[in-house]
Amino acid sequence: MWLQIVTYISFIFIIVASFIKVRRIAGQPLHLRWELYPVPHEEGREYGGSYLEKLNWWTKPRRRSFLGMLTFMMREVLWFEKCYRNNRGLWYFTYPFHIGLFLLGGWLLLLFLEAMAMILGVTESIAWVMTIHYLTLAAGAAGFALSTIGSIGLLVKRSIDANLRLYSSPTDYFNLGFILTIVLSGVCSWYFFDPVFASAREFMKSLITFGPVLTNPAMTVSIILLCLFMIYMPFTHMMHWVTKYFAYHRVCWDDAPNLAGNNIQNKLEELLNQPISWSGPHIQTGKKWKEVVAEES
Amino acid sequence: MKRTVNTKGIASNPNEQLLTIKPESLMPFPDRKEIDDNHSPKLLTKQQRNDYECSLDGFVALRMLKPKTREEENKLVQSFLEGLRKLLSKENNWTFLQPLLLSLDYCAKCQTCSEACPIYLASGRQEIYRPTYRSEVLRQIKEKYLDKRGKVLSKLTGNLIDLNWTTIARLAELSYRCTLCRRCAQICPIGIDNGLITREIRKLFSQEMGIAPKELHESGTVKQLRVGASTGLTPKALKDIIQFMEEEIEEKTGKKIRIPLDREGADILLIHNSGEFMSWPENPEAFAIIFEAAGLSWTLSSDLGGYEATNYGAWYDDVQLARIAYKQVEIARKLGVKKIVIGECGHAHKALTVTADRLLTREFNIPRESCMPLLEDIVLNGRNGVHLRRNDFLVTLHDPCNMVRLMGIVEPQRRILREISSRFREMEPHGVDNYCCGGGSGFAIMNSMNFPDWKTSIAGRMKVMQILETFEDALDPSIKKCVCTPCSNCKGQMRDLFDRYGLQERYNILYTGLAELIVNAMANE
């Protein structure tokens, strides 16, 4: 039972920590525009154009392409296109590493669905249950293989590539080593004790029913390490899987103009009413932003 | 052999240069040995070395005097830390806090950005010019001294930098070894922006410590707010220049044009970089010819600051940025124009149209646009009988980073060039992938001590290489070639690059603005 409790605690921890992180980032004040082209929702995205290319742009309707943005995001998430194009040597390892982790995430989700089916008494002969079963096998196998290759490759590359080594701290190696250890313990469990993930499925079922469960030693180690990792990750830069969204959507692609009647004006009024406390000789410390900018230095 | 400098090294050996650049270590110009003349940079005098901070790479952009006492040093260190605290607070840095934290806290240090940086590449991959180097220095100072992680955790997370005056002085200089072109940010897989971090470092130094290059602050924004223009151009001198321009237009074209000045109720207030009036008056003359031929309702302003589009605050200081933007729109408001059109100046485009967009509220939020769509409309739609024939010499286009990568104004200028030139060819890479001219973020106007040598030898090296590659098959001086450079600061840098590498003398390559080329096509009529 203790293993289920630890799993729940760590799972809740990472959900709450991620939520706090998102709230903290999203709650930061409106910033000045700092977009970077190409912006994929713009009409001229193929060559990096913006609405500012149009004469009297403020009188023209703004067309934002959701599909353009989605296509860019999919290429980035599923193919790591920027890394593929600009850092191929790294891509050979970071791509399998990340895709492997995505697949393992999918594998856990599929195990959960299978466990639900078991609890609800849905028989394995039904087509969709069978499909999920085989998908679980495929996702688990591919996920373990790719993430193992990727994390070993990244560790080696970071150790021998002078460009990376010079900027790598002990924690960078530790993080990769940590993930590799989790994955390898999972691989051990799969290879030596649990070839069709039956125990993993049982453990997932026990998380729902709180019933007793028998795990093998490798699986126990893997679960404990994964739980520790879920508690550790929110304190590291590995949260870039969350922050990347903001870096793109809230900075690089945020080209929303400040037009009469939109919400930006009100937010700005509030921000410009804040006092400035910079100490530079050209700044009248203590005055409000809007007072300072209306004055000459 | 190249000495590898890690981030920890920035704090040590204050009396030695962190980097000494040797001409032979720079990116070579393949097949063009004649221009790579092993030019050795100008060395500082003994007096200058004694007085000024130059321990980064032996070049001086900031003219920072060395502190005389330990107390003075400590005070500066404390002031830096205080500034860093403010940089990371909502109250003091609402303008860029979110982008800064996203870039500062989540870099995966994959170094993908390095190969995108023209300065890093042109320098022969010198470690201190790597886009992540200065960001990593700031990140480590923040984590070690503000987050207070303790000795063990600091070691484990690689925060090994000691904060002393040497660290700060070198970091300050280092923030002026990047043109803020943001090519690095464009290719970062997770959206980290080392260009932004560089600007934030500059901002900390300016807004908290009063440290900024003289050309940007004292002789730049401060002068612009007091005198009217960073070039020192006064309203009276402007009127004299306009009279001269009218005479020159008549002399060159036979057309008698009265350039409208302070015309209330005009549709358009056209603001040029005042450097155009001083150094390239043919550019505002060309605008006047085109606008008059197109029958536009427009005016220039002679109000204090109304004839200066530049906003150097865009490169180092949010407060100065906001002050200048307010002043510019205030003048447009007084004139009662319908919109402000910005002449050929890249950073002025971005500062007033994009960056200041979230500073100008209510009555100050007057529509502002680039001159490019307007010129395109005139040229392509043959407005009011502006018909053109094609220039028949080779033309390529330099893309100003601010206008293109940072604003997405890419095609109008190309459509114009395809229309007015029968021999237009692109540089590679171009458009939003372009390389900076090396004069970005203020470098074009910064001429402190031996800094001009750095900006032509290193910052502008990639652009020279690109120009030569573009005209590779036509370098024979009997073939006339032109680099269309629709940005005043880029033109300033081109002037220095062309001088340094002899591009006109050796290869008959010229540079000019876009409006001049349009008028040249009109004159062919």
Side-chain angles (χ1 to χ4, degrees):
Chain A
M1 181 63 90
W2 65 271
L3 203 53
Q4 287 98 319
I5 292 170
V6 170
T7 306
Y8 265 109
I9 289 171
S10 55
F11 185 68
I12 290 167
F13 186 89
I14 194 167
I15 295 290
V16 172
S18 301
F19 178 74
I20 291 169
K21 180 83 64 184
V22 166
R23 258 194 73 172
R24 197 173 288 168
I25 298 169
Q28 276 154 3
L30 179 78
H31 56 80
L32 303 190
R33 278 170 61 183
W34 195 250
E35 63 248 37
L36 191 59
Y37 292 86
V39 171
H41 61 236
E42 287 295 323
E43 279 180 82
R45 59 187 168 277
E46 292 303 325
Y47 60 86
S50 73
Y51 61 87
L52 296 168
E53 289 187 321
K54 291 179 182 166
L55 186 64
N56 298 326
W57 58 265
W58 56 95
T59 62
K60 311 272 162 65
R62 260 191 89 208
R63 293 194 183 88
R64 287 163 58 95
S65 166
F66 178 72
L67 191 66
M69 198 169 65
L70 197 67
T71 310
F72 178 93
M73 284 166 66
M74 285 299 104
R75 289 205 314 248
E76 205 44 46
V77 172
L78 299 178
W79 189 238
F80 282 49
E81 192 169 5
K82 285 197 180 193
C83 190
Y84 176 77
R85 284 191 179 188
N86 302 299
N87 196 349
R88 193 70 60 87
L90 186 72
W91 183 87
Y92 289 128
F93 304 112
T94 198
Y95 183 68
F97 173 75
H98 284 93
I99 290 295
L101 294 181
F102 295 165
L103 283 169
L104 288 179
W107 171 69
L108 289 174
L109 191 69
L110 289 165
L111 282 176
F112 176 80
L113 290 177
E114 275 200 278
M116 285 297 287
M118 283 162 69
I119 293 164
L120 295 171
V122 183
T123 67
E124 281 194 16
S125 58
I126 293 173
W128 68 265
V129 180
M130 282 299 284
T131 309
I132 289 177
H133 179 71
Y134 286 115
L135 279 176
T136 310
L137 294 180
F144 279 123
L146 289 171
S147 51
T148 305
I149 293 166
S151 43
I152 292 172
L154 285 178
L155 258 176
V156 172
K157 186 156 177 67
R158 205 166 264 284
S159 311
I160 61 172
D161 184 328
N163 288 323
L164 297 177
R165 198 176 58 227
L166 198 59
Y167 292 85
S168 297
S169 63
T171 47
D172 292 322
Y173 297 105
F174 173 78
N175 295 344
L176 282 169
F178 198 166
I179 294 170
L180 177 63
T181 314
I182 297 168
V183 173
L184 283 180
S185 55
V187 169
C188 285
S189 167
W190 171 43
Y191 188 79
F192 294 110
F193 306 100
D194 193 18
V196 290
F197 304 125
S199 301
R201 207 172 293 113
E202 281 298 327
F203 178 72
M204 195 59 88
K205 190 178 154 195
S206 79
L207 284 176
I208 303 164
T209 61
F210 281 95
V213 67
L214 271 177
T215 59
N216 63 66
M219 190 171 144
T220 307
V221 169
S222 187
I223 292 169
I224 292 168
L225 288 176
L226 180 63
C227 291
L228 288 173
F229 186 77
M230 285 196 284
I231 292 167
Y232 168 68
M233 190 167 78
F235 300 103
T236 71
H237 70 76
M238 287 186 283
M239 286 300 276
H240 61 235
W241 64 278
V242 173
T243 59
K244 182 174 176 170
Y245 170 86
F246 290 95
Y248 278 98
H249 290 260
R250 289 286 185 91
V251 184
C252 298
W253 301 346
D254 180 9
D255 60 351
N258 171 18
L259 296 171
N262 66 17
N263 196 29
I264 292 175
Q265 294 264 352
N266 297 332
K267 284 186 186 169
L268 282 178
E269 292 283 349
E270 210 174 290
L271 293 165
L272 288 165
N273 267 314
Q274 291 189 143
I276 290 186
S277 65
W278 290 97
S279 307
H282 59 294
I283 298 173
Q284 292 79 16
T285 309
K287 286 192 175 179
K288 289 176 180 171
W289 256 92
K290 67 176 182 186
E291 292 167 342
V292 171
V293 297
E295 287 173 14
E296 289 179 16
S297 61
Chain B
M1 201 181 129
K2 199 162 77 180
R3 188 165 65 111
T4 304
V5 182
N6 60 15
T7 46
K8 193 182 171 190
I10 200 168
S12 52
N13 302 326
N15 297 320
E16 275 179 34
Q17 270 177 220
L18 201 55
L19 169 70
T20 302
I21 294 169
K22 296 191 174 71
E24 60 272 20
S25 66
L26 302 180
M27 179 185 76
F29 291 105
D31 308 322
R32 298 259 70 87
K33 297 265 183 273
E34 72 272 19
I35 67 162
D36 197 16
D37 52 2
N38 276 346
H39 171 89
S40 291
K42 188 178 147 192
L43 295 175
L44 299 174
T45 63
K46 201 176 171 195
Q47 187 66 43
Q48 285 171 329
R49 294 189 75 83
N50 279 340
D51 294 346
Y52 295 98
E53 280 300 340
C54 55
S55 69
L56 179 73
D57 53 6
F59 293 94
V60 173
L62 276 166
R63 295 188 187 94
M64 270 183 302
L65 288 167
K66 290 179 180 172
K68 300 245 175 335
T69 61
R70 188 49 65 100
E71 288 71 39
E72 209 182 322
E73 279 189 20
N74 291 341
K75 213 174 141 190
L76 286 161
V77 170
Q78 288 314 312
S79 172
F80 175 86
L81 275 178
E82 189 54 31
L84 186 53
R85 250 178 232 116
K86 289 177 185 172
L87 203 63
L88 300 169
S89 79
K90 274 184 190 183
E91 294 71 28
N92 289 289
N93 195 22
W94 62 269
T95 48
F96 282 103
L97 183 67
Q98 190 179 55
L100 174 64
L101 290 180
L102 286 169
S103 287
L104 207 51
D105 290 345
Y106 301 101
C107 177
K109 298 178 229 171
C110 68
Q111 309 302 343
T112 304
C113 54
S114 302
E115 295 299 308
C117 174
I119 290 176
Y120 175 66
L121 296 180
S123 71
R125 294 186 169 80
Q126 301 296 341
E127 204 55 47
I128 63 166
Y129 299 148
R130 192 191 278 278
T132 49
Y133 185 89
R134 67 181 75 76
S135 306
E136 191 55 27
V137 169
L138 188 73
R139 189 176 291 121
Q140 289 189 26
I141 294 172
K142 171 193 172 265
E143 290 181 356
K144 187 170 174 184
Y145 291 90
L146 293 192
D147 299 349
K148 295 200 172 142
R149 291 188 165 179
K151 256 188 184 169
V152 177
L153 198 56
S154 279
K155 268 199 174 157
L156 287 174
T157 48
N159 301 323
L160 305 171
I161 283 185
D162 289 325
L163 185 61
N164 52 35
W165 169 246
T166 305
T167 312
I168 292 170
R170 285 173 173 163
L171 184 62
E173 271 293 337
L174 197 51
S175 68
Y176 289 90
R177 299 295 186 275
C178 159
T179 61
L180 312 184
C181 79
R182 296 175 68 206
R183 213 168 177 271
C184 55
Q186 194 188 38
I187 69 159
C188 175
I190 50 176
I192 304 299
D193 191 339
N194 290 300
L196 172 92
I197 293 176
T198 303
R199 186 179 178 274
E200 292 297 291
I201 296 172
R202 292 182 180 190
K203 212 166 88 180
L204 185 166
F205 280 106
S206 175
Q207 292 184 185
E208 183 66 16
M209 303 171 78
I211 295 173
K214 191 176 168 215
E215 297 88 343
L216 299 191
H217 188 66
E218 231 174 292
S219 314
T221 55
V222 172
K223 194 199 260 183
Q224 183 174 352
L225 288 163
R226 287 196 184 139
V227 181
S230 54
T231 49
L233 185 70
T234 60
K236 188 182 172 308
L238 174 79
K239 285 175 185 166
D240 291 343
I241 290 177
I242 286 177
Q243 198 185 340
F244 161 79
M245 284 163 49
E246 288 169 344
E247 288 163 10
E248 197 167 62
I249 290 171
E250 191 176 359
E251 197 180 297
K252 282 181 182 168
T253 68
K255 289 176 183 167
K256 216 170 169 60
I257 285 176
R258 183 118 183 95
I259 296 174
L261 195 60
D262 303 320
R263 187 184 287 168
E264 286 187 19
D267 287 348
I268 296 167
L269 168 63
L270 175 65
I271 314 186
H272 292 292
N273 180 318
S274 74
E276 300 286 351
F277 294 111
M278 309 281 275
S279 303
W280 301 284
E282 61 274 15
N283 180 270
E285 285 170 16
F287 269 92
I289 293 168
I290 297 165
F291 279 22
E292 286 299 307
L296 300 183
S297 160
W298 69 289
T299 187
L300 297 178
S301 165
S302 70
D303 204 341
L304 208 65
Y307 50 89
E308 174 65 289
T310 63
N311 189 338
Y312 297 165
W315 299 322
Y316 78 102
D317 193 301
D318 289 345
V319 176
Q320 296 295 79
L321 166 88
R323 280 175 171 149
I324 289 170
Y326 263 79
K327 190 127 193 163
Q328 288 164 335
V329 293
E330 173 64 19
I331 288 160
R333 213 163 64 95
K334 275 200 275 180
L335 283 170
V337 296
K338 290 186 180 139
K339 64 179 175 185
I340 299 174
V341 170
I342 301 141
E344 292 183 20
C345 180
H347 90 276
H349 264 70
K350 196 192 72 173
L352 194 56
T353 315
V354 174
T355 322
D357 191 41
R358 293 185 184 163
L359 286 166
L360 303 169
T361 55
R362 318 251 175 232
E363 70 274 20
F364 287 95
N365 196 359
I366 292 170
R368 304 161 313 275
E369 75 176 356
S370 160
C371 60
M372 294 300 157
L374 184 57
L375 290 174
E376 183 194 8
D377 185 51
I378 294 169
V379 169
L380 268 69
N381 298 333
R383 231 170 118 149
N384 284 5
V386 176
H387 298 296
L388 304 150
R389 254 195 280 169
R390 292 183 157 191
N391 292 308
D392 62 355
F393 45 85
L394 279 170
V395 178
T396 190
L397 174 66
H398 162 66
D399 285 300
C401 304
N402 281 295
M403 195 186 290
V404 179
R405 184 165 34 254
L406 312 186
M407 279 182 82
I409 299 176
V410 186
E411 273 298 311
Q413 56 272 40
R414 291 185 155 69
R415 287 192 281 260
I416 294 170
L417 282 172
R418 286 185 208 113
E419 187 70 19
I420 64 170
S421 172
S422 54
R423 301 173 70 193
F424 169 61
R425 52 170 71 172
E426 292 279 14
M427 290 188 193
E428 290 302 333
H430 60 266
V432 290
D433 300 322
N434 75 316
Y435 280 119
C436 174
C437 62
S441 81
F443 292 179
I445 50 144
M446 284 164 57
N447 290 308
S448 157
M449 298 182 206
N450 58 357
F451 190 70
D453 263 346
W454 186 86
K455 73 182 182 188
T456 53
S457 297
I458 297 174
R461 199 172 188 84
M462 189 63 89
K463 186 49 69 177
V464 173
M465 172 89 93
Q466 256 197 310
I467 293 171
L468 291 172
E469 282 176 355
T470 306
F471 294 131
E472 200 176 10
D473 59 336
L475 286 175
D476 188 316
S478 66
I479 305 169
K480 189 175 163 189
K481 299 161 285 284
C482 180
V483 181
C484 175
T485 310
C487 167
S488 201
N489 279 295
C490 299
K491 271 198 295 204
Q493 170 75 354
M494 289 291 179
R495 179 178 52 199
D496 293 347
L497 291 177
F498 275 53
D499 279 354
R500 157 86 169 79
Y501 295 98
L503 298 187
Q504 186 176 352
E505 295 76 28
R506 284 191 172 114
Y507 310 113
N508 195 13
I509 307 174
L510 305 166
Y511 67 90
T512 188
L514 179 63
E516 294 93 305
L517 286 175
I518 296 173
V519 168
N520 201 48
M522 285 167 72
N524 287 347
E525 211 170 12

